[in-house]
Amino acid sequence: FSKSKKLLLKVYKDNPVTLYCGCSFKGKKPNLSSCGYIPKKDKKRANRIEWEHVVPASRFGKNFSTWKFGHQNCKKKNGKSFKGRKCARKNNQKYRFIESDLYNLQPVIGEINQVRNNYQMSIIEGEKRLFGDCDFEVKKKFVEPTESVRGNIARIYFYMSKEYPKFIKLSLRELIMFKNWDLND
């Protein structure tokens, strides 16, 4: 995963723009004024670029037993067991492969990545913008990205579900919505 992030910095060198807000960035620092982004709560995290899993890591991770239940190799120095992302990464090559898939990783403002969490994509009524001019809405564990990136997001979901069908399955609601997003793009 860390190698993927370093590689992506090189890939985005000529067109460094965040996915959801369209902010330009240099290295790991976004230019918030380039897209009218206004931090809501976490100014420190708003001032860094993070590489978001468009299809959340928890969505495919929960299909690995090491994510759900842990593993004998997943013990902290104090002897306490752990599970989840760190345990799956430590013990499962297939998880590491999916987690590092470059098609699923996109540059985003850190605060947006934090707020997005692992919420599902959706259409949200109204236009309550929380981050200045950034067209990214969040409501009741759903997120709505700006219209200009919905097609890209749909194709990422299609790719991930086709490439990793054992781990990522789209619901009927998602299939319909993503087909519309793709067609409208």
Side-chain angles (χ1 to χ4, degrees), residues 20 29 71 137:
Y20 298 122
K29 180 108 172 99
H71 187 275
E137 288 99 47

Side-chain angles (χ1 to χ4, degrees), residues 98-133:
I98 298 170
E99 180 189 40
S100 301
D101 193 309
L102 299 179
Y103 288 108
N104 191 37
L105 295 170
Q106 295 290 318
V108 298
I109 294 169
E111 186 179 39
I112 292 289
N113 192 22
Q114 180 181 34
V115 169
R116 191 293 165 92
N117 199 328
N118 62 353
Y119 299 161
Q120 290 183 34
M121 297 287 169
S122 191
I123 297 295
I124 298 171
E125 292 299 317
E127 283 292 316
K128 185 177 180 186
R129 295 190 184 174
L130 305 172
F131 307 98
D133 292 335

Side-chain angles (χ1 to χ4, degrees), residues 11-183:
V11 169
Y12 278 86
K13 186 179 149 207
D14 293 334
N15 189 27
V17 177
T18 63
L19 177 65
Y20 298 122
C21 300
C23 288
S24 62
F25 65 92
K26 187 169 184 165
K28 297 178 183 178
K29 180 108 172 99
N31 177 353
L32 301 180
S33 64
S34 71
C35 62
Y37 185 91
I38 299 171
K40 182 174 166 93
K41 289 183 180 178
D42 195 337
K43 195 169 187 169
K44 183 177 179 183
R45 201 156 173 192
N47 280 290
R48 72 177 186 226
I49 292 297
E50 294 179 2
W51 295 93
E52 183 192 53
H53 292 92
V54 175
V55 176
S58 62
R59 178 133 181 203
F60 51 85
K62 67 183 178 184
N63 294 299
F64 290 88
S65 63
T66 50
W67 181 289
K68 283 197 253 183
F69 308 112
H71 187 275
Q72 63 191 18
N73 294 339
C74 296
K75 296 215 185 292
K76 296 179 183 177
K77 289 181 181 177
N78 65 6
K80 189 174 179 180
S81 298
F82 62 91
K83 55 187 176 180
R85 181 188 301 242
K86 288 182 182 177
C87 187
R89 186 181 291 150
K90 182 175 181 174
N91 291 285
N92 194 292
Q93 184 177 9
K94 185 68 173 179
Y95 173 82
R96 288 191 300 273
F97 186 77
I98 298 170
E99 180 189 40
S100 301
D101 193 309
L102 299 179
Y103 288 108
N104 191 37
L105 295 170
Q106 295 290 318
V108 298
I109 294 169
E111 186 179 39
I112 292 289
N113 192 22
Q114 180 181 34
V115 169
R116 191 293 165 92
N117 199 328
N118 62 353
Y119 299 161
Q120 290 183 34
M121 297 287 169
S122 191
I123 297 295
I124 298 171
E125 292 299 317
E127 283 292 316
K128 185 177 180 186
R129 295 190 184 174
L130 305 172
F131 307 98
D133 292 335
C134 178
D135 185 7
F136 184 83
E137 288 99 47
V138 182
K139 187 176 182 181
K140 296 183 181 176
K141 297 189 178 186
F142 288 97
V143 296
E144 179 186 81
T146 187
E147 195 171 330
S148 64
V149 299
R150 290 180 193 162
N152 293 348
I153 289 168
R155 290 183 288 276
I156 291 168
Y157 271 86
F158 290 147
Y159 163 80
M160 293 295 285
S161 65
K162 184 173 181 180
E163 192 68 23
Y164 311 107
K166 182 179 174 185
F167 303 100
I168 301 162
K169 295 181 182 6
L170 301 181
S171 69
L172 181 58
R173 178 195 73 81
E174 288 175 315
L175 277 172
I176 293 167
M177 179 180 70
F178 291 144
K179 280 182 182 179
N180 285 330
W181 288 9
D182 180 46
L183 288 171

